[in-house]
């Protein structure tokens, strides 16, 4: 996995609440057996009409948001299915950080596995960041994971929380499976114990 | 020993490693796999040269993207993408030596129906699957999580999941349900009360007399939608109803092992003085048959209600409601029972079990579906289908004008050709009414099987109590 470096980039506002995984990546794109190439279909049904033409109003189609790296969104972002195609599409588009009042659980997990940083912040703070994002391309937001700080284009700073283990993995670009395999002794001894306690499993 | 919830007990029995910061490796007893979220995980294993750690605990079945029409054993009768995904699963199951139910097998079906049916899902287990509705298995008192594809790969490689413990929420449904009210109405009503983010960070245990009174089928319906309430998992403590269902299933323990298992299962309940981070109580008698009006499962109301106005809500929900109403083509103040339906879909892991089909057939028997109505029943598994045929339910549906399909997810997520067309309006027994879920610009109203059957007959959303 790529290391998560500090991002200074364009943030796009998507104030809608309950943005679900079907909106992020409609199921027709789940037909792939690969992880890559989903960025063009991110938010497909909001972004394109039936003929495949871009819908002008949609935020990521506006000239100032084409290079978006940070998404500021409404409550309960990523609700719905477990499809990891959602974070794959977000990452493939070039977005590395999503800020929202809350996230759906599975989506939140999936982000970390793909080098994306989801940041939950209180609604009032998200509202301020949303305003900042609405300023468009001249307003660059900075997300510094090391320091756990978001800085708006006006220099206002918002600290955020992140699980220390996940932070470490993102910063170092570590692969979970490799890390877990280092604990294979613990897993093996658990298996021996469990086979005695619950042999029917 | 300090008092524990059911979740605490199952959790404690499965921690293989705990780091100083509380991050745990949770051991996985059953890993269910389907064709859509697994190809990239197996590809990852191959690239790293890793085997499947515990193939005997791994079960695969294609369901999400398979056709539900006859002749599907022949890939020529599948769309190209289905054929590719199914062929990939065939190959991965064979190469990695995992249990497999191919489309040609009568036991094939929706993964969350096959697991319990075959006795793979047992009380006290940890169960995961690359699908959010894994919560279904919680009905057995199993801790069941949906996971993403990276986690699928992680479980395949290590049989563990990196987890931090969730908080405990108790949802109690007291007393009895009124006639015409089903498990589906319970679970939708809970979401209506708590919202789709209400369960975020929690594992929910459903309890109370109305839950105890439910069959296993009904309990699975309730737990299935824990995820729509935002929870990591839903649980119901095992009891006689559970043991009765599990006993004798192909992969359930037998003989002395059964006795030993039973002894442990009987310890799986929340202690009286256990700590709950949140408690929600609903009176069973207050629950009505419900239907959704919007594009989020929390947009739910009793069938006797009218479509709400955006101004009835607060904050970000005002805009969301406005958008939902426009998408759904509804006007505030309109009676739910005046909403005309084009299509009825009975099936899915929420309501594709035998009891669901019986409830729907009871409404349909001897009647015809409304002229011009498209109505289909998609049994949750080949065995459900077989049983329904033996009980004569299939004939009831067919005589009324329903299509009788082969098992799969079908129009629940509409990846296969079973889709709504633009603005087509559907009463569905599935679990998601998101925009585009059942087809581009398709409109979904979530209801119980009996309510879906009633809508097929009258051509409108209907209060099933008027037809009983
Ligand atoms: S029936 Fe629907 S909800 Fe259930 S597993 Fe299939 S697609 Fe998912």
């Amino acid at each position: 996995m790529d290391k998560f470096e500090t991002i200074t980039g364009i943030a796009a506002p998507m104030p809608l609440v309950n943005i679900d995984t079907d909106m992020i990546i409609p199921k027709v794109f789940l037909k792939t057996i690969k992880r890559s190439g989903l960025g063009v279909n991110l938010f497909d049904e909001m972004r394109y009409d039936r003929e495949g033409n871009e819908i002008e109003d949609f935020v990521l189609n506006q000239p100032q948001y084409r290079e978006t790296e940070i998404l500021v969104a409404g409550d309960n972002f990523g609700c719905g299915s477990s499809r990891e195609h959602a974070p794959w599409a977000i990452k493939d588009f070039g977005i590395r950080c999503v800020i929202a009042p809350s996230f759906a659980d599975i989506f939140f997990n999936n982000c970390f596995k793909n080098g994306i940083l989801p940041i939950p912040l209180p609604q009032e703070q998200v509202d301020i960041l949303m305003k900042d994002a609405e300023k468009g391309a001249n307003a660059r937001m900075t997300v510094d994971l090391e320091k756990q700080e978001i800085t708006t284009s006006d220099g206002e700073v918002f600290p955020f929380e992140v699980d220390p283990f996940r932070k470490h993995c993102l910063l170092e670009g570590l692969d979970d499976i490799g890390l877990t395999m280092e604990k294979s002794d613990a897993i093996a001894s658990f298996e021996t114990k469990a086979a005695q306690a619950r042999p029917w499993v | 020993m300090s008092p524990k919830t059911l979740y605490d007990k199952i959790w404690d029995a499965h921690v293989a490693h705990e780091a100083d910061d509380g991050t745990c490796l949770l051991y996985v007893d059953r890993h269910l796999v389907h064709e859509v979220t697994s190809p990239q995980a197996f590809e990852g294993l191959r690239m790293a040269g890793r085997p499947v750690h515990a193939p005997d605990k791994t079960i695969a079945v294609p369901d999400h993207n398979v056709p539900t029409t006859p002749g599907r054993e022949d890939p020529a009768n599948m769309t190209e993408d289905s054929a590719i995904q199914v062929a990939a699963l065939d190959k991965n199951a064979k190469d990695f030596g995992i249990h497999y139910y191919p489309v040609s097998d009568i036991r094939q079906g929706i993964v969350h129906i096959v697991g319990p049916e075959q006795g793979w899902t047992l009380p006290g287990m940890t169960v995961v699957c690359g699908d959010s509705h894994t919560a279904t298995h919680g009905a057995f008192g199993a801790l069941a999580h949906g996971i993403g594809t990276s986690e699928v790969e992680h479980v395949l490689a290590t049989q563990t999941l990196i987890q931090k413990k969730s908080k405990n929420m108790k949802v109690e449904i007291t007393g009895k349900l009124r006639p015409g009210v089903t498990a589906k109405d319970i679970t939708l009503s809970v979401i209506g009360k708590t919202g789709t983010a209400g369960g975020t960070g929690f594992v929910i245990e459903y309890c109370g007399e109305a839950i105890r009174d439910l069959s296993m089928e009904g309990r699975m319906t309730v737990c299935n939608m824990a995820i729509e309430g935002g929870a990591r998992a839903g649980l119901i403590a095992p009891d006689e109803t559970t043991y009765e269902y599990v006993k004798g299933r192909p992969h359930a323990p037998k003989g002395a092992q059964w006795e030993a298992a039973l002894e442990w299962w009987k310890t799986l309940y929340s202690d009286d003085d256990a700590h709950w981070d949140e408690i929600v109580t609903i009176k069973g008698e207050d629950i009505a048959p419900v239907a959704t009006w919007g594009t989020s499962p929390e947009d739910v109301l009793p069938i006797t209600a009218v479509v709400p106005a955006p101004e009835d809500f607060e904050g970000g929900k005002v805009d969301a409601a406005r958008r939902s109403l426009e998408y759904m083509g509804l006007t505030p103040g309109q009676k739910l029972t005046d909403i005309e339906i084009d299509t009825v879909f009975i099936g899915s892991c929420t309501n594709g079990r035998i009891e669901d089909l019986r409830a729907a057939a009871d409404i349909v028997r001897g009647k015809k579906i409304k002229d011009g109505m498209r109505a289909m029943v998609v049994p949750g598994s080949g065995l459900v289908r077989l049983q329904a045929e033996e009980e004569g339910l299939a004939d009831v549906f067919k005589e009324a004008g329903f299509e009788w399909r082969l098992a799969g997810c079908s129009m629940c997520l509409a990846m296969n050709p079973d889709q709504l067309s633009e603005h087509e309006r559907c009463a569905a027994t599935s679990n998601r009414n998101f925009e585009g879920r059942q087809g581009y610009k398709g409109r979904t109203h979530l209801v119980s099987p009996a309510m879906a059957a009633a809508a097929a007959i009258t051509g409108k959303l209907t209060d099933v109590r008027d037809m009983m």
Side-chain angles (χ1 to χ4, degrees), chain A residues 15-18 20-23 26-35 45-46 48-50 55 75-76 79-85 88 102-106 109-110 113-114 163-166 175-181 183-184 186-191 193-194 197-201, chain B residues 13-17 21 23 25 27 29-30 36 39-41 43 50 53 65 81 84-85 122 125 130-132 146-151 153-154 157-158 160 162 164 196-197 200 227 232 253 257 260-261 264-265 296 298 316-317 320 323 413-415 422 432 434-440:
Chain A
L16 205 62
V17 298
N18 295 333
D20 60 62
T21 49
D22 285 70
M23 289 182 188
K27 71 224 151 218
V28 284
F29 305 106
L30 307 191
K31 298 180 172 184
T32 172
I33 55 170
K34 300 266 172 266
R35 290 174 205 245
E45 289 179 4
M46 301 163 102
Y48 306 103
D49 65 19
R50 270 262 108 152
I55 296 170
D75 202 15
N76 199 27
C79 59
S81 86
S82 65
R83 65 186 65 160
E84 204 156 315
H85 308 69
W88 294 337
S102 76
F103 292 86
D105 190 52
I106 302 175
N109 272 323
N110 283 342
K113 314 273 175 201
N114 290 284
D163 178 89
F165 173 70
R166 288 177 151 163
D175 154 38
D176 276 355
I177 297 178
L179 286 173
T180 297
M181 285 189 146
K183 308 200 180 79
S184 54
I187 298 172
S189 77
F190 177 89
E191 283 177 323
K193 234 175 44 197
R198 297 187 295 278
W200 61 85
V201 171
Chain B
H14 289 88
V15 175
H17 180 270
D21 69 350
T23 304
L25 282 182
Y27 194 79
D29 292 328
R30 291 285 181 266
V36 173
Q40 294 87 349
E43 182 194 30
R50 289 168 177 150
H53 181 86
N65 195 14
D81 57 88
I84 290 173
Q85 288 186 329
L122 300 172
M125 280 186 163
D131 181 277
S132 54
I147 56 178
T149 299
S150 296
E151 289 177 315
E153 186 180 338
H154 190 276
T158 69
T160 64
I162 302 174
K164 272 205 168 162
T196 46
T200 304
I227 189 74
R232 176 163 295 175
Q257 296 242 335
W264 188 55
W265 295 346
S296 165
E298 71 190 14
K317 190 72 194 170
R323 188 184 161 95
L413 92 164
M415 265 189 85
E422 229 167 296
R432 287 197 175 132
F434 296 157
E435 289 181 19
R437 170 76 177 184
Q438 295 195 283
Y440 182 75

Side-chain angles (χ1 to χ4, degrees), chain A residues 45-59:
Chain A
E45 289 179 4
M46 301 163 102
R47 204 163 140 202
Y48 306 103
D49 65 19
R50 270 262 108 152
E51 281 71 51
N53 305 309
E54 288 189 359
I55 296 170
E56 264 177 51
D57 293 356
F58 182 68
V59 59

